[in-house]
Amino acid sequence: MAVSYLGFFVICSVLALASGSSRNRPILSFDEGYSQLFGDDNLMVLRDGKSVHISLDERTGSGFVSQDLYHHGFFSASIKLPADYTAGVVVAFYMSNGDIFEKNHDELDFEFLGNIRGKDWRIQTNVYGNGSTGIGREERYGLWFDPSEDFHQYSILWTDTQIIFYVDNVPIREITRSEAMGGDFPSKPMSLYATIWDGSDWATNGGRYRVSYKYAPYIAEFSDLILHGCAVDPIEHSSKCDNALNSESIPTGSITPEQRTKMENFRKKHMQYSYCYDRTRYKAPPPECVINPKEAERLRGFDPVTFGGGRRHHHGKRHHRSRSSRAEATAI
């Protein structure tokens, strides 16, 4: 990974993050904050320097990575996804430190899962801490818009005690650090990544529908790139924010009553899967889960086999793909 660290000095931005909004946060040019990860000429920076296209074709996918590691902050991008037949295509916008902590890495994921023509894209969030890849914490949702028609903003707020995922400044998922979650709450510095790759083996109906390269190239467009957090010394893995426990420079997160209502409405209308309610996967919910009876009832009606504990025929199972496997994913 090509990384530059501004002379190894820590940069700790003043973060006003209570609302999860991107307003008044600086938008970086690509060269200021990112480097190409893989994909050769499948990554294209546009003339304004603040927009970038990554594409997937029969040769390879592509992606980029932040030049710095960050320990907490607000990370965001406006993304427009490929249109038409996109089965098997995966666009990922995520944080990870898998290159540094191979056996106990942390990760925060937005994964966008393509679909056959006439079916909607799905969005998946996931959380891994301290190498806990054996416990997937996936949630999956539909959206109230077509993400291939225009740009929409996807954001991650990560603090010492809280993780919030946002779509167009609407919180869709909140994870609060708890004693039950223990070391599985992401706590080590991470880089921010964006990739597009071939997930034919699992992404659409468990691998039933695969990428069709007659529709390639598949192009994902990114703009309004925001890296607003505590940059970290790459050797010491420490930040000035760590030594300013009462400082306003430490990112904080909260959801207003209005935002919470929007989040509850989103989850009621659009959530299609949550690991906490998956009775075929877990006999008892993982200890950090807080069961919402209304969510449980709605998901049971949506999929009585998965969320009601009934029997199912065997289908392919999605296995977690690490950052490195995403970067190396090529056409099948």
Side-chain angles (χ1 to χ4, degrees), residues 38 56 59-61 196-198 321 324-331:
F38 73 110
L56 168 69
R59 298 177 301 111
T60 184
I196 184 170
W197 51 287
D198 186 328
R321 298 285 296 273
S324 58
S325 64
R326 292 183 183 125
E328 294 166 359
T330 56

Side-chain angles (χ1 to χ4, degrees), residues 6-37:
L6 301 178
F8 297 107
F9 287 101
V10 173
I11 297 176
C12 193
S13 303
V14 175
L15 303 172
L17 298 173
S19 69
S21 171
S22 64
R23 294 171 188 162
N24 301 321
R25 299 206 174 94
I27 295 173
L28 297 179
S29 69
F30 182 83
D31 290 340
E32 286 178 311
Y34 296 90
S35 299
Q36 183 166 1
L37 181 64

